[in-house]
Amino acid sequence: MAQKWVYLFREGSATMRDTLGGKGAGLAEMTRAGLPVPPGFTITTEACNAYYDDGKQFPEGMWDQALEALKDVEKDIEKTFGDKQNPLLVSVRSGAKFSMPGMMDTVLNLGLNDETIQGIITLSGNERFAYDAYRRFIQMYGNVVLNIKKDKFDEVFDEFKHKTGAKLDTDLTAEALKEIVPAFKALVQSETGNPFPEAPIEQLRGAIEAVFASWNNDRAIYYRQVNKISDALGTAVNIQSMVFGNLGEDSGTGVAFTRNPSTGENKLYGEYLPNAQGEDVVAGIRTPHPISDLEKDENFPDVYNQFHEIAQRLEKHYKDVQDMEFTIEKGRLFMLQTRSGKRTGPAAVKIAVDMLNEGLIDEKTTLQRVPPGDLDQLLHPMIDPRQTDNTKESYVRPITTGLPASPGAAIGKVVFTAEDAEAQGALGEKVILVRKETSPEDLRGMVAAQGILTAFGGMTSHAAVVARGMGKSCVAGAGALQINEAGRYLSVGDLRINEGDYITLNGSAGTVYAGKLDVIAPELSDDFNTIMKLADKYRRLRVRANADTPHDAAEAIRFGAEGIGLCRTEHMFFEGDRITAVREMIVADTVEERKAALAKILPYQKEDFIGIFKAMQGFPVTIRTLDPPLHEFLPHESAQIEELAKDLGVSADKLKARVESLKEANPMLGFRGCRLGILYPEITEMQARAIFRAAKEVAAEGIKVEPEIMIPLVSDLNELSRQRDIIERVALEEGVKEAGVAYKIGTMIELPRAALVANKIAQAAEFFSFGTNDLTQTTFGLSRDDAGKFLPLYVEQKILKDDPFQALDREGVGELMKIATERGRSVRPDLKVGICGEHGGEPSSVEFCHQIGLNYVSCSPFRLPIARLSAAQAALVSTERDR
Amino acid sequence: MAQKWVYLFREGSATMRDTLGGKGAGLAEMTRAGLPVPPGFTITTEACNAYYDDGKQFPEGMWDQALEALKDVEKDIEKTFGDKQNPLLVSVRSGAKFSMPGMMDTVLNLGLNDETIQGIITLSGNERFAYDAYRRFIQMYGNVVLNIKKDKFDEVFDEFKHKTGAKLDTDLTAEALKEIVPAFKALVQSETGNPFPEAPIEQLRGAIEAVFASWNNDRAIYYRQVNKISDALGTAVNIQSMVFGNLGEDSGTGVAFTRNPSTGENKLYGEYLPNAQGEDVVAGIRTPHPISDLEKDENFPDVYNQFHEIAQRLEKHYKDVQDMEFTIEKGRLFMLQTRSGKRTGPAAVKIAVDMLNEGLIDEKTTLQRVPPGDLDQLLHPMIDPRQTDNTKESYVRPITTGLPASPGAAIGKVVFTAEDAEAQGALGEKVILVRKETSPEDLRGMVAAQGILTAFGGMTSHAAVVARGMGKSCVAGAGALQINEAGRYLSVGDLRINEGDYITLNGSAGTVYAGKLDVIAPELSDDFNTIMKLADKYRRLRVRANADTPHDAAEAIRFGAEGIGLCRTEHMFFEGDRITAVREMIVADTVEERKAALAKILPYQKEDFIGIFKAMQGFPVTIRTLDPPLHEFLPHESAQIEELAKDLGVSADKLKARVESLKEANPMLGFRGCRLGILYPEITEMQARAIFRAAKEVAAEGIKVEPEIMIPLVSDLNELSRQRDIIERVALEEGVKEAGVAYKIGTMIELPRAALVANKIAQAAEFFSFGTNDLTQTTFGLSRDDAGKFLPLYVEQKILKDDPFQALDREGVGELMKIATERGRSVRPDLKVGICGEHGGEPSSVEFCHQIGLNYVSCSPFRLPIARLSAAQAALVSTERDR
């Protein structure tokens, strides 16, 4: 017996997402729950995979099963597919396990031909409706199944509008629409060389194949790549009997969320369009009404209550926000889809905490409901409220206002095409993508842009949905906006803004500003704090911050840091006058001269450390000794060198020679890190002295202080031992123990060799901290500064799953981390091990750090919440696995 | 009971080198064999170590044991230490396990004071001799034990010469010498603040402490570092009763080797000085007579025969060349030392093969007698014989001739100080160090120089001994040479050569030439071939060569290559016109333009490969696809760019922009290796096509051909798979299989990640080749181009045992090699694994490659003999260990 490839809606359930896809499982579950769902069936994802495995052939039995299911639907709805009098029309939709906007669009009204149209005319009593449905069907089928460009149909369509003097689509008469049908068919014939398929069965077969094919179109592949979705999942195909929202004023269609996906507010949220098909809402061509209006809409008595009750039921059933599509056909409500609703970061936090409070979900589920990366949105800078408060003098008037489609502030230069956004983004430019409306083709440009501004479309338009998913600021449907793509400018009234000019978006208010506004960090909500407290309750990993100044340290504490994992001393070298002393130190000819220069730097460093120690309130502070190549502290232009020479009182030639001698072929692999402290031990000595003196002063004030001195770029035990000897000697000289200050000495593990000989290095190290930025560079032999030429292609072509500078490479870099941790602890079981590379704030990297048993992760203060939540989720996952 | 710290010579033996040091063990063994050795005793190396462990205190019992041993010696020789009438005088010498010229000089005549001098006068009947011995003793003791500079004594001495009108030392009368004694003592008093120690026992204690202290003087530490000798060995102290070579014309002293240490000739070789002490020979102050003259020397009847017989006995006993010191006191021969003789590479080869033929040693011992690195000397370039043949028109007359102290040709710029040699050598200059004579202080300068030229000293002078040890060309004792160090020039008659001018040395003939002469590779001797055949018999590792041209390939075959391990295709890109096509390829805007340029390169590459395949006579040839960053092929100066732009028919601005865009922050970690072939697959395609077409053509001629295509800088299986796909496709297109050509595809392992994921990479690789140059750079995070600033210090301070670019770092890089080999073979047991970094020709690295089970090593053709012998020695060691 052949495998079961086809499931009637009533045969499936929510648990069958893998097989039926998200949409199919939702339809099945709603059907089982007795909700009003137009009958239909789903062809499984397994069928899609089998289709590809068999060289693009329907698997054995699939087609027969589909025809049988179709019979069942015919019986159910009492219509017949292809029947002249009482024809069944169906929609055909793709539906993968995870929602994928990059995939095939829907084909509606399938089953129409020159014969069945008559039945529709009779049944609807509306010839215009019938022919409009017919021409839409040919258009959609032609585009989606037969790959004819939309423009071609639009040209024909516009010609007819012009010919008949119609301005809007709705101005076209039934007669005109009737004429368009053969014109569209002629277009199909000329574009494909074949006539438009009249037989409904043939139409169905073509549409199913087109869905299967769409699994591997470029957009879908790109979408999966960006969203880390496996290529092996396949898509299901949903065939559902049509209901019509465009059968008159008592019909309509809409989409809605059980809660506000932008703010999380617990209130039905969505839009509907009377007398329209579903695609009209998503496409953003007509501006829809808010769902709340439905309650008072005389054309739809009681529909709102019915929908509201269904929405409640669905949310309780799924215990999560539902994103629903519905159609009202002549006053009767049909549910066409329900799925877990995408939401912004702030909404995710509010919804999770609200549902926890409502008793709908438990603490662990609450934590798992917030994607850690989305917290970024809560932490995004926002426009300084004084500039948005019109009672203040500092108020800045927006140039226009649209819908607040995705929250947060965004500043960037105006670009008008996705290509430009991508190209300039690649160059490091911050851009705002300005479009009339966006489409899936614009995806890459949207990824590259800081924010998106559209002139058309609503809160559920493509631009709005995608931007929210990305946590990017978006203002949608700013209708006053005139976009002149060819002229490369936009205008609002008399105001003209050229390509390349700066604008600022406030996605939370829907406002658009000319120029750059001041932005500030947002306040953290109580819900956010609840999530953070929960995360802290469940995580095992400690979190620290990378912070170089007392200000950063204070920020770190605010975001929940339990210490500083990386304090880069060299950043302090650039402040104020001290750079002069640093430069004196570099050009010194003798140890004595160098020591004299260092003596000038010491008091500055000491003061910096005092500030940081105090800010950290007794938490440990890991201070890295001088790391960057010395040439980074010197000017490189002739004029600047000459000026500096004068300041330092040395000859310009000598200084130039010094600058020259410090140049390196590969500075990343050059004279830096502990190599500086080995050649110039007096530098390490000065830094140790500054740290210890600061620690003593702070301790004398009764404040606990826990300095951890970290030696960078170590490749061998001997390097660390030599540096350690210096520090220990200074500690003795400074009487650190007597002052009651406990300190630790440890090292960065940022070279492959350090990881491999960790069992030796650990003999002299009380802690390890993985410098995964450099470790990634050396493990891959990949310069971050130069990888731009090929790394994006590597990720795009899936040579590498991820950019290893963003998500930690577990196989290579991670393997070295595992080796280093194991070997280090083999000789020092209580070795403290952390990470201070940028991966320390990236969710999947934090998960890995948890898995291999690190003690802490350290990241920028701003990413601490992400780290805390990621650490909690990692702990929950591993607990589940342990069970 | 206290440990035994002191051994009389008759108590020790040759097997006690660890305890007695080399010299002590030799003296003991000779004593046991009944040879005429002045009696004495040895304080052990353990005593030295205990001395340091106890905070520079003689270990318990040592001094008492020494005094007891001294009594035994007194009894033996019937003299008494410190006795007025019949005083025993002793020499005190350091003696570590391995001979160390950097250590303490000898103190002779110890035991002399104002009382015992009377006994010596009486016994010798020679007052002048006695006072000369006395003033020498104060001088040596003052210098060596009390650390007073030699110059100070020389000043006093010269003053006396001046005062008395003496020109030579020998012109000084007994009276004058007698006066010098109190003057020297006054100098000691004023320099040290203490009187010269009169008590012989106090002198002895001081000398023993000085020997212990000399173990850790700077020169000794440096020597151990250069020669990889452990600091933990310690030195022994030899106290031996004095015999005098300067008691008149029937006395003398000399040094000799049982065979010629320069050529290996089986003939007693050495020098003697009548009426002299041993130090006079080594110091090179007077030019000694060849040992052969001793036979006919009327002053020494029968001494030669006696010595010759002893030499023969010693060599048979030790089964190796002996380096002996002797003294003749009033016609009586005394042996003062015997040890294994240092020898040049050519001598080592000849002696080993001769001794094998003489049945003295077996094959395995023969192989172990030649340090592989020393083979370099046999392979050194020599001066084109036409320039040294005075019957030829091309004959070049030497400017002067000295002793042929160490063979081989050397060309360099003249420098006059070790410091200059070191400084210029560090800048990459080739220099010849020219000195009146050298001393251990000059060691670093000698290391840095290409060759050494001295005006004084013989074949066993410091310069000669050290140069031979280093395998460096040396001409010693070129007496016609006038060196004006202050004026920075040298002259021979009227000819003047300034610092910085080139000279050429022929260390094999002792000739010196102005300017640069032509040099050629030497012929390989039969003995050399015997060693090579033996090596091939015992080694398990295969050896291949790195060769990029048919010429190199032929050289490789000549030196015994069994394949090419690395053929760098890019070197071919620079030849002739083809660089233009390469540049066209680089500046191409489109794939089509690039393909057009590549099509021009293809025929060149094909011809190159044909030549190499033919030269390799059926051995496998590993060809690496394009590796270096593209900017290496473009000019960087404005004028050159403009010219090239004209040639290529593109605008200079465009070309400049292209050059600019290819610049990299860290080119070592940049757009190179397989990254090129991934971005520009057409390059890999062209190269594969050229290889396959060449292979087919050669195969069609009936010549076996085995191409192995190697993808560089791989970090992930996907990279290799993509490149492999291209190559396999081209192979299909070219019908390679049908042509009967078997090929392999593999990869370089030169990034840490590649080693770590070797189990994946091996799925697409039939072979691995370790690129240990880059692997060392990435594992250590160390740019070879930039490490000059700190790596020498690292080696000097023993932070790293070796320069990891010279000797493979086993702990880090080697660990990755082990991991890669194990993981690779875990999925592909027959994986062929080799090495093609420069370590492939370095003995300790080859040993490691053997140990971890590689299949082959590949190195430059010139280093193949070293690799073959190293591989054999590694195999012998591991066989011994297995037993």
PDB file of all heavy atoms in Angstrom, chain B residues 807-824:
ATOM      1  N   ALA B 807      62.607  24.825  13.631  1.00  0.00           N
ATOM      2  CA  ALA B 807      62.317  23.478  14.122  1.00  0.00           C
ATOM      3  C   ALA B 807      60.843  23.416  14.475  1.00  0.00           C
ATOM      4  O   ALA B 807      60.328  24.267  15.190  1.00  0.00           O
ATOM      5  CB  ALA B 807      63.176  23.171  15.339  1.00  0.00           C
ATOM      6  N   LEU B 808      60.188  22.409  13.963  1.00  0.00           N
ATOM      7  CA  LEU B 808      58.753  22.258  14.178  1.00  0.00           C
ATOM      8  C   LEU B 808      58.396  22.288  15.664  1.00  0.00           C
ATOM      9  O   LEU B 808      59.015  21.585  16.469  1.00  0.00           O
ATOM     10  CB  LEU B 808      58.323  20.918  13.574  1.00  0.00           C
ATOM     11  CG  LEU B 808      56.839  20.687  13.517  1.00  0.00           C
ATOM     12  CD1 LEU B 808      56.286  21.321  12.248  1.00  0.00           C
ATOM     13  CD2 LEU B 808      56.529  19.208  13.515  1.00  0.00           C
ATOM     14  N   ASP B 809      57.408  23.071  16.022  1.00  0.00           N
ATOM     15  CA  ASP B 809      56.916  23.145  17.401  1.00  0.00           C
ATOM     16  C   ASP B 809      56.049  21.921  17.666  1.00  0.00           C
ATOM     17  O   ASP B 809      54.918  21.839  17.197  1.00  0.00           O
ATOM     18  CB  ASP B 809      56.108  24.436  17.565  1.00  0.00           C
ATOM     19  CG  ASP B 809      55.202  24.384  18.787  1.00  0.00           C
ATOM     20  OD1 ASP B 809      55.709  24.080  19.876  1.00  0.00           O
ATOM     21  OD2 ASP B 809      53.992  24.638  18.630  1.00  0.00           O
ATOM     22  N   ARG B 810      56.573  20.976  18.390  1.00  0.00           N
ATOM     23  CA  ARG B 810      55.838  19.718  18.573  1.00  0.00           C
ATOM     24  C   ARG B 810      54.597  19.882  19.437  1.00  0.00           C
ATOM     25  O   ARG B 810      53.582  19.249  19.211  1.00  0.00           O
ATOM     26  CB  ARG B 810      56.755  18.664  19.193  1.00  0.00           C
ATOM     27  CG  ARG B 810      57.920  18.310  18.286  1.00  0.00           C
ATOM     28  CD  ARG B 810      58.757  17.199  18.856  1.00  0.00           C
ATOM     29  NE  ARG B 810      59.891  16.946  17.960  1.00  0.00           N
ATOM     30  CZ  ARG B 810      60.592  15.825  17.962  1.00  0.00           C
ATOM     31  NH1 ARG B 810      60.303  14.850  18.793  1.00  0.00           N
ATOM     32  NH2 ARG B 810      61.590  15.673  17.113  1.00  0.00           N
ATOM     33  N   GLU B 811      54.709  20.715  20.453  1.00  0.00           N
ATOM     34  CA  GLU B 811      53.603  20.843  21.409  1.00  0.00           C
ATOM     35  C   GLU B 811      52.352  21.458  20.799  1.00  0.00           C
ATOM     36  O   GLU B 811      51.245  21.066  21.128  1.00  0.00           O
ATOM     37  CB  GLU B 811      54.033  21.745  22.566  1.00  0.00           C
ATOM     38  CG  GLU B 811      54.797  21.057  23.650  1.00  0.00           C
ATOM     39  CD  GLU B 811      54.976  22.016  24.818  1.00  0.00           C
ATOM     40  OE1 GLU B 811      55.552  23.109  24.607  1.00  0.00           O
ATOM     41  OE2 GLU B 811      54.515  21.699  25.911  1.00  0.00           O
ATOM     42  N   GLY B 812      52.553  22.459  19.948  1.00  0.00           N
ATOM     43  CA  GLY B 812      51.389  23.159  19.408  1.00  0.00           C
ATOM     44  C   GLY B 812      51.092  22.714  17.986  1.00  0.00           C
ATOM     45  O   GLY B 812      50.110  22.011  17.715  1.00  0.00           O
ATOM     46  N   VAL B 813      51.974  23.105  17.073  1.00  0.00           N
ATOM     47  CA  VAL B 813      51.796  22.762  15.664  1.00  0.00           C
ATOM     48  C   VAL B 813      51.782  21.242  15.496  1.00  0.00           C
ATOM     49  O   VAL B 813      50.939  20.680  14.794  1.00  0.00           O
ATOM     50  CB  VAL B 813      52.907  23.407  14.821  1.00  0.00           C
ATOM     51  CG1 VAL B 813      52.780  23.008  13.368  1.00  0.00           C
ATOM     52  CG2 VAL B 813      52.877  24.924  14.970  1.00  0.00           C
ATOM     53  N   GLY B 814      52.711  20.582  16.197  1.00  0.00           N
ATOM     54  CA  GLY B 814      52.806  19.126  16.105  1.00  0.00           C
ATOM     55  C   GLY B 814      51.545  18.450  16.635  1.00  0.00           C
ATOM     56  O   GLY B 814      51.082  17.447  16.086  1.00  0.00           O
ATOM     57  N   GLU B 815      50.998  19.015  17.691  1.00  0.00           N
ATOM     58  CA  GLU B 815      49.756  18.469  18.251  1.00  0.00           C
ATOM     59  C   GLU B 815      48.640  18.535  17.207  1.00  0.00           C
ATOM     60  O   GLU B 815      47.874  17.587  17.033  1.00  0.00           O
ATOM     61  CB  GLU B 815      49.383  19.265  19.504  1.00  0.00           C
ATOM     62  CG  GLU B 815      48.042  18.926  20.133  1.00  0.00           C
ATOM     63  CD  GLU B 815      48.045  17.624  20.902  1.00  0.00           C
ATOM     64  OE1 GLU B 815      49.120  17.006  21.013  1.00  0.00           O
ATOM     65  OE2 GLU B 815      46.964  17.220  21.369  1.00  0.00           O
ATOM     66  N   LEU B 816      48.565  19.641  16.504  1.00  0.00           N
ATOM     67  CA  LEU B 816      47.546  19.761  15.453  1.00  0.00           C
ATOM     68  C   LEU B 816      47.812  18.746  14.342  1.00  0.00           C
ATOM     69  O   LEU B 816      46.874  18.184  13.763  1.00  0.00           O
ATOM     70  CB  LEU B 816      47.524  21.183  14.883  1.00  0.00           C
ATOM     71  CG  LEU B 816      46.850  22.242  15.752  1.00  0.00           C
ATOM     72  CD1 LEU B 816      47.011  23.636  15.149  1.00  0.00           C
ATOM     73  CD2 LEU B 816      45.355  21.937  15.947  1.00  0.00           C
ATOM     74  N   MET B 817      49.073  18.512  14.040  1.00  0.00           N
ATOM     75  CA  MET B 817      49.402  17.525  13.005  1.00  0.00           C
ATOM     76  C   MET B 817      48.969  16.128  13.432  1.00  0.00           C
ATOM     77  O   MET B 817      48.438  15.351  12.632  1.00  0.00           O
ATOM     78  CB  MET B 817      50.911  17.543  12.723  1.00  0.00           C
ATOM     79  CG  MET B 817      51.375  18.805  12.000  1.00  0.00           C
ATOM     80  SD  MET B 817      53.188  18.946  11.939  1.00  0.00           S
ATOM     81  CE  MET B 817      53.589  17.618  10.786  1.00  0.00           C
ATOM     82  N   LYS B 818      49.183  15.841  14.718  1.00  0.00           N
ATOM     83  CA  LYS B 818      48.762  14.539  15.233  1.00  0.00           C
ATOM     84  C   LYS B 818      47.245  14.409  15.161  1.00  0.00           C
ATOM     85  O   LYS B 818      46.713  13.393  14.697  1.00  0.00           O
ATOM     86  CB  LYS B 818      49.215  14.382  16.694  1.00  0.00           C
ATOM     87  CG  LYS B 818      50.438  13.531  16.795  1.00  0.00           C
ATOM     88  CD  LYS B 818      51.178  13.557  18.108  1.00  0.00           C
ATOM     89  CE  LYS B 818      50.427  13.452  19.389  1.00  0.00           C
ATOM     90  NZ  LYS B 818      51.389  13.548  20.536  1.00  0.00           N
ATOM     91  N   ILE B 819      46.570  15.453  15.623  1.00  0.00           N
ATOM     92  CA  ILE B 819      45.107  15.450  15.597  1.00  0.00           C
ATOM     93  C   ILE B 819      44.610  15.259  14.168  1.00  0.00           C
ATOM     94  O   ILE B 819      43.734  14.427  13.897  1.00  0.00           O
ATOM     95  CB  ILE B 819      44.560  16.779  16.193  1.00  0.00           C
ATOM     96  CG1 ILE B 819      44.782  16.810  17.705  1.00  0.00           C
ATOM     97  CG2 ILE B 819      43.086  16.978  15.850  1.00  0.00           C
ATOM     98  CD1 ILE B 819      44.428  18.146  18.360  1.00  0.00           C
ATOM     99  N   ALA B 820      45.185  15.999  13.235  1.00  0.00           N
ATOM    100  CA  ALA B 820      44.725  15.935  11.847  1.00  0.00           C
ATOM    101  C   ALA B 820      44.966  14.554  11.257  1.00  0.00           C
ATOM    102  O   ALA B 820      44.113  14.007  10.544  1.00  0.00           O
ATOM    103  CB  ALA B 820      45.434  17.002  11.019  1.00  0.00           C
ATOM    104  N   THR B 821      46.136  13.990  11.548  1.00  0.00           N
ATOM    105  CA  THR B 821      46.468  12.683  10.984  1.00  0.00           C
ATOM    106  C   THR B 821      45.518  11.618  11.539  1.00  0.00           C
ATOM    107  O   THR B 821      44.955  10.813  10.788  1.00  0.00           O
ATOM    108  CB  THR B 821      47.937  12.335  11.307  1.00  0.00           C
ATOM    109  OG1 THR B 821      48.762  13.404  10.841  1.00  0.00           O
ATOM    110  CG2 THR B 821      48.357  11.048  10.626  1.00  0.00           C
ATOM    111  N   GLU B 822      45.310  11.651  12.849  1.00  0.00           N
ATOM    112  CA  GLU B 822      44.423  10.664  13.468  1.00  0.00           C
ATOM    113  C   GLU B 822      42.988  10.814  12.964  1.00  0.00           C
ATOM    114  O   GLU B 822      42.352   9.835  12.566  1.00  0.00           O
ATOM    115  CB  GLU B 822      44.427  10.840  14.994  1.00  0.00           C
ATOM    116  CG  GLU B 822      45.690  10.299  15.662  1.00  0.00           C
ATOM    117  CD  GLU B 822      45.865  10.813  17.100  1.00  0.00           C
ATOM    118  OE1 GLU B 822      44.877  11.357  17.658  1.00  0.00           O
ATOM    119  OE2 GLU B 822      46.972  10.681  17.619  1.00  0.00           O
ATOM    120  N   ARG B 823      42.502  12.052  12.974  1.00  0.00           N
ATOM    121  CA  ARG B 823      41.103  12.265  12.576  1.00  0.00           C
ATOM    122  C   ARG B 823      40.916  11.978  11.095  1.00  0.00           C
ATOM    123  O   ARG B 823      39.900  11.428  10.683  1.00  0.00           O
ATOM    124  CB  ARG B 823      40.666  13.696  12.920  1.00  0.00           C
ATOM    125  CG  ARG B 823      40.636  13.928  14.415  1.00  0.00           C
ATOM    126  CD  ARG B 823      40.022  15.252  14.827  1.00  0.00           C
ATOM    127  NE  ARG B 823      40.080  15.335  16.302  1.00  0.00           N
ATOM    128  CZ  ARG B 823      39.690  16.362  17.030  1.00  0.00           C
ATOM    129  NH1 ARG B 823      39.177  17.433  16.448  1.00  0.00           N
ATOM    130  NH2 ARG B 823      39.777  16.349  18.343  1.00  0.00           N
ATOM    131  N   GLY B 824      41.885  12.368  10.296  1.00  0.00           N
ATOM    132  CA  GLY B 824      41.801  12.118   8.856  1.00  0.00           C
ATOM    133  C   GLY B 824      41.750  10.626   8.574  1.00  0.00           C
ATOM    134  O   GLY B 824      40.901  10.145   7.815  1.00  0.00           O
TER     135      GLY B 824
END
